[in-house]
Amino acid sequence: MSHLISSESVTKGHPDKVADQISDAVVDACLGQDPSSRVACETLVKNNAVVVAGEISTRARLDIEAIARVVIANIGYTDPALGFDARGATVLQLIGNQSGDIARGVDRTDPREQGAGDQGLMYGYATNETFNRMPLPIHLAHLISRNLQFWRESGELPYLRPDGKSQVTVEYASGEIPPRIDAVVLSTQHSPDVTQERLRDDVRTRLEKLLENRGVDSRTTYLINPTGNFEIGGPVGDCGLTGRKIIVDTYGGVGRHGGGAFSGKDPSKVDRSGAYAARWAAKHVVNANLADSCEVQIAYAIGVAKPVSIHVDTFGTGVVDDDQIARAIRATFDLRPAAIIEDLRLLQTKYLPLASNGQMGREDLDVAWERTPRVDDLMRHISG
């Protein structure tokens, strides 16, 4: 019995990711000057306009217009002919202060008892399918998107433009290790100077080399720009919004998602910090060889420091009972927001690099939630 699982990734020039990167650049600017900043920043991009809105309470001196223009330029939107460019874009700001009602629930005399910035449930997931404990479909989709960006930025394929998407379908067959790649879908914006035949040949040649020994075979299907020309892209082709690529940010649809976005939020928001902590815990479980796959759910109430529940699902792969793993996680990790922020160094983390190519599995950025220093502690609580 076999089954197929597909995951997608997008390049940093995708309009939703343009919005995410602007929002996270604002978070970085705030926390870099004032670690006590409270930020909930949303961005919308369409045509040659940028709208930055939300609630920000900070002592930082911000030039949001300049921040947005730098991000847009660094992505590669510098040519007015694209219809969206860093120099010519109109930037509108609609920024207020954080609600006093929320602030009273979050801030505490004892900073260790800082309340959660909102209610909600966050999920973390890990699997032993890949070296970075990510599901294989999203791992490969991100690999393709990163390389698509490299082929453009390095000038290797100079006709490529910033917007692009990848999708990988993996076939899992009982007893077949490793899984095989059933289909690869890639759509990339391009200049009008290239034919589809040349683009498809250039990209497929590189994809085959990139995916060699990763599960491709003679039955693997490649679909490159399947609708034909993709000249109109970025915010001209589609409106972009912060937080609309949360499955790309996490596990590609494998495992569940609480629904809260990451980008544009300071770590007092458990949508961000709680999700990182859940990934941290799940990765410890897999690295401790307690399960092949592990999903951790953490739920919070607004203004309350301790989570109201922790749930573990190892999908039948655990070597001990899931409830026993959940108790060990509770004993090993302090999941109050202030403790998560301290343990994972979330006030020192730069969030802009995380706003493209995924928030999880980013061992290339050496983020703290990808490290597993407490495996021995977790095992002691299991055996105890």
Side-chain angles (χ1 to χ4, degrees), residues 24-262:
D24 271 340
V26 172
V27 173
D28 286 346
C30 290
L31 295 179
Q33 299 177 55
D34 177 12
S36 64
S37 297
R38 296 288 184 259
V39 186
C41 179
E42 313 291 344
T43 302
L44 177 150
V45 293
K46 178 57 183 168
N47 294 332
N48 209 19
V50 179
V51 179
V52 182
E55 300 78 47
I56 300 177
S57 296
T58 184
R59 294 189 297 270
R61 297 174 63 88
L62 297 177
D63 187 340
I64 289 178
E65 179 177 340
I67 291 170
R69 294 191 191 283
V70 168
V71 170
I72 295 166
N74 287 341
I75 291 170
Y77 287 110
T78 56
D79 184 355
L82 298 180
F84 176 69
D85 73 287
R87 184 182 296 272
T90 298
V91 180
L92 176 64
Q93 304 175 45
L94 299 171
I95 302 294
N97 291 321
Q98 183 188 53
S99 162
D101 293 339
I102 295 175
R104 282 190 294 274
V106 174
D107 297 331
R108 291 288 188 271
T109 303
D110 182 353
R112 294 170 298 179
E113 294 302 321
Q114 172 182 313
D118 201 352
Q119 71 176 46
L121 27 142
M122 295 78 217
Y123 287 92
Y125 181 83
T127 175
N128 61 9
E129 289 180 21
T130 59
F131 73 91
N132 59 357
R133 304 308 190 221
M134 291 291 286
L136 183 60
I138 189 67
H139 174 72
L140 294 174
H142 285 322
L143 177 68
I144 292 170
S145 289
R146 286 195 302 271
N147 277 272
L148 185 59
Q149 291 168 180
F150 172 77
W151 299 332
R152 173 179 63 87
E153 294 172 346
S154 67
E156 185 173 337
L157 297 179
Y159 51 78
L160 296 182
R161 287 180 169 173
D163 196 357
K165 305 175 75 171
S166 65
Q167 183 175 290
V168 177
T169 300
V170 172
E171 180 183 15
Y172 294 84
S174 178
E176 182 179 320
I177 301 295
R180 61 173 293 273
I181 299 174
D182 187 70
V184 178
V185 182
L186 184 147
S187 296
T188 179
Q189 186 187 13
H190 58 85
S191 77
D193 303 326
V194 64
T195 65
Q196 288 301 303
E197 291 75 18
R198 180 187 171 192
L199 184 150
R200 287 172 179 149
D201 183 65
D202 286 350
V203 171
R204 176 161 178 164
T205 298
R206 286 162 176 79
L207 286 176
E208 290 176 341
K209 183 177 180 180
L210 178 67
L211 298 175
E212 189 177 10
N213 300 320
R214 297 179 186 269
V216 295
D217 59 24
S218 60
R219 294 180 292 144
T220 300
T221 299
Y222 291 88
L223 296 170
I224 299 168
N225 279 16
T227 63
N229 286 348
F230 183 4
E231 296 176 22
I232 301 171
V236 176
D238 190 14
C239 178
L241 293 169
T242 299
R244 204 160 58 177
K245 285 291 178 285
I246 54 179
I247 296 301
V248 173
D249 283 339
T250 52
Y251 310 103
V254 177
R256 284 161 281 203
H257 197 288
F262 305 138

